[in-house]
Each structure stands twice: as structure tokens, then as C-alpha cells.
Amino acid sequence: MESSNSLKIGVVVHYTGSVPSTAATLDSLTRQDIFPCVVVVAGANVKEFTGPDDFRRYPLKLEHIQSDENAGRAGAYNAGIAFALKSGAAYILLLQGGLIADKALLSSLQEISRKLGDHVVVGARIFSDREPWKVLNGGIHWDAAESTWLPLRYAERGAEEPLVLGDPVESVSGSAMFFSRAAIDSAGYFDPLFASSLEDIDWCSKARAAGFRCVAGSKTIVWAGEYHQGLLHETAEDAYLKSRNQFIWAGRYLINADRRRFYRDALAKTIKNDFLSVRFSVPRS
């Protein structure tokens, strides 16, 4: 039940083209300990999800926003964020259609915001519902042993080393992202150039440059439902765009030595037609 002391959280759901997956995400939001002030479903073909059977059954302030198909996920998020902020939201949670929010997700994010302040970008942990012990992603960090930046897989830290609230990560990638209006005011919106690949890492790099911290949410849990997992596939075009965006990102944020190493390694991988295994890193804080 929503409290008068609850933060005004707007949730932006990226419509991926699947009515069932979007419905599953919205259903999970109706079971939250606190309700968001507005939920915006945004996407290129979101009109597919506007019938009375789809919207009227949810006890939420629900809106839909049509975005430019060429702008991809970044464009959908931008349109949804802008609408949510105009509707009075002070905080934004981004979810891709098909992700299932744990019932304590919003209350946990509210707790983190009150403890750490508004100058943080929080990444919720995404667990596989098929393998509950397996964390799919939550952020990236510096790996001293590998001398590079790698995905942070919380499950590998072991049960005896619990995740601490506010554990720093260098970027929130592949996870539900939560931030304040102040972050948008300082870092701006997602770059449409990145469309549907690395837009989260690029934006986090901008936010960190603006003085924000990226942190892991210790109790924030999102489940990758069957609908979402069915969408986790990449076409040849996706692979190309991902490689292209890695080059653009490296040119923006890496220092000279790291940038040269990245270009050398990436080109070697590209020559082998192995776009998806190109390794990339992010600059230290």
C-alpha cells in the first residue's frame, strides 16, 4: 500500500513488441509494497497495447507513448522519461518488457535513495527465474586479475560475502536502472545514436562525469521471466551495431593507451567475425 511519505517514482516500461511480456511486467508492478506515481509504456509499436483489456485492468496511472522506431530502446526510454517527469515523477525506474519486479523492488529503491541521496544511479540485480541462483547481470567493475573491466556477477562472490548496500560499480548494464530527476538534469537523456546497444553504459559514463555514482542495489531484485528470456537473442545487425557502438563509446571515454588497446583487440575480433566477444572497458573513477 502506498504511503504519503513514498517517493514519487515513475516507471518506464520499454514495449518490446510482445503483449504478454509487457502484461507480465505490469502485473508485477500492481503487487508492489508501494505504487509508482505513473507507469509509462513506451515503444515504437506501443499502440498494439492500448485496448481496454490491456490497460483498464491495472490499478495504476498508466499511459502509453509512441516513440520513433529508428531510435530503438534509447528513444523509447527518452520518451517515457520525459512524460513521467512532466507527470510529477521525481525518480525514474527503467524496465524492459518481460522483466518481473520483485514485490519489494520499489520500497527497496526508496530505502536506497533515502540512505544514499539523489546523486546515485542504482542497478537492480536481474536473476534467472529458471535458475534462481544465477544472476544474469547488475553492473560492471574493475577486475584486477584480468586488468580489465568485466561484468560483475554477484553470485560468484559466494554466500559468505553478501552484497553491501551501495556497493560501487562502474556502470549499470543489463539491469533495471533507477535514478533521480537530478541525474537527467545533469547528464541529459540517452543518446539516440546508441539506439538499442550500450545506451545504458554510455549514459552511466555521462552521469559519472557529472558527479554521480553507480551503485548496486543489495535488496533490489528483478526476475527475467520466460517472455523476456525469449527475447534475449541477437541478429547479425544487432551484432554489428553493438560493435559499432563499442568503438564510439571507446572514442568518447577511454584514455589514449586504453583506447589503442581496445581498437587493436576489437579489430582483431572483428576480422575473425566474432563481433559479440569484443572486450571493452570503462575508465576508472
Side-chain angles (χ1 to χ4, degrees):
M1 181 179 297
E2 187 174 10
S3 166
S4 58
N5 294 322
S6 298
L7 301 181
K8 292 185 177 181
I9 300 174
V11 180
V12 178
V13 178
H14 175 221
Y15 180 68
T16 58
S18 170
V19 171
S21 66
T22 305
T25 300
L26 293 178
D27 282 337
S28 72
L29 294 175
T30 67
R31 297 190 293 270
Q32 292 297 298
D33 293 338
I34 61 174
F35 282 156
C37 67
V38 63
V39 177
V40 184
V41 180
N45 299 307
V46 75
K47 290 182 179 180
E48 299 172 354
F49 196 73
T50 57
D53 292 339
D54 295 327
F55 269 68
R56 293 179 186 174
R57 60 192 172 111
Y58 299 104
L60 302 168
K61 181 181 179 183
L62 198 58
E63 301 288 347
H64 69 281
I65 298 294
Q66 184 82 13
S67 62
D68 183 358
E69 182 176 4
N70 294 326
R73 186 168 56 232
Y77 281 151
N78 286 344
I81 292 169
F83 187 91
L85 293 178
K86 289 180 181 178
S87 299
Y91 299 85
I92 299 293
L93 169 64
L94 303 181
L95 289 174
Q96 185 158 324
L99 291 177
I100 311 301
D102 182 83
K103 71 175 185 178
L105 177 63
L106 292 187
S107 58
S108 296
L109 290 170
Q110 178 173 269
E111 176 187 359
I112 291 174
S113 180
R114 287 176 172 166
K115 286 186 177 180
L116 301 183
D118 289 348
H119 278 66
V120 294
V121 178
V122 183
R125 293 174 295 166
I126 299 182
F127 281 84
S128 166
D129 57 350
R130 296 178 183 177
E131 302 172 281
W133 54 269
K134 184 178 182 181
V135 180
L136 301 180
N137 212 330
I140 52 180
H141 76 142
W142 175 254
D143 189 308
E146 295 287 339
S147 296
T148 190
W149 298 89
L150 298 171
L152 178 59
R153 309 285 182 175
Y154 299 111
E156 294 176 3
R157 309 182 101 193
E160 296 181 358
E161 191 178 350
L163 189 65
V164 178
L165 174 63
D167 232 10
V169 293
E170 296 308 316
S171 179
V172 174
S173 174
S175 60
M177 185 184 296
F178 176 80
F179 49 84
S180 66
R181 175 189 290 267
I184 290 293
D185 292 340
S186 298
Y189 286 82
F190 289 90
D191 188 343
L193 180 65
F194 283 77
S196 295
S197 177
L198 273 70
E199 77 286 347
D200 44 9
I201 293 179
D202 176 72
W203 187 84
C204 284
S205 297
K206 292 194 297 180
R208 290 176 59 235
F212 287 74
R213 289 186 298 146
C214 294
V215 302
S218 57
K219 298 179 182 179
T220 57
I221 296 176
V222 176
W223 297 94
E226 60 177 305
Y227 296 115
H228 178 73
Q229 293 193 14
L231 296 170
L232 296 180
H233 65 277
E234 288 185 305
T235 64
E237 182 180 3
D238 293 333
Y240 160 73
L241 291 175
K242 184 174 182 179
S243 289
R244 185 205 66 172
N245 291 351
Q246 287 175 352
F247 276 88
I248 296 173
W249 179 86
R252 287 181 176 180
Y253 301 108
L254 293 185
I255 60 176
N256 290 337
D258 285 342
R259 187 186 304 129
R260 287 193 296 269
R261 181 175 63 84
F262 168 83
Y263 287 157
R264 182 181 64 250
D265 293 347
L267 284 172
K269 295 288 185 181
T270 301
I271 291 173
K272 294 179 180 179
N273 295 319
D274 191 9
F275 290 101
L276 297 182
S277 63
V278 175
R279 301 176 76 184
F280 65 96
S281 60
V282 299
R284 292 175 177 165
S285 302

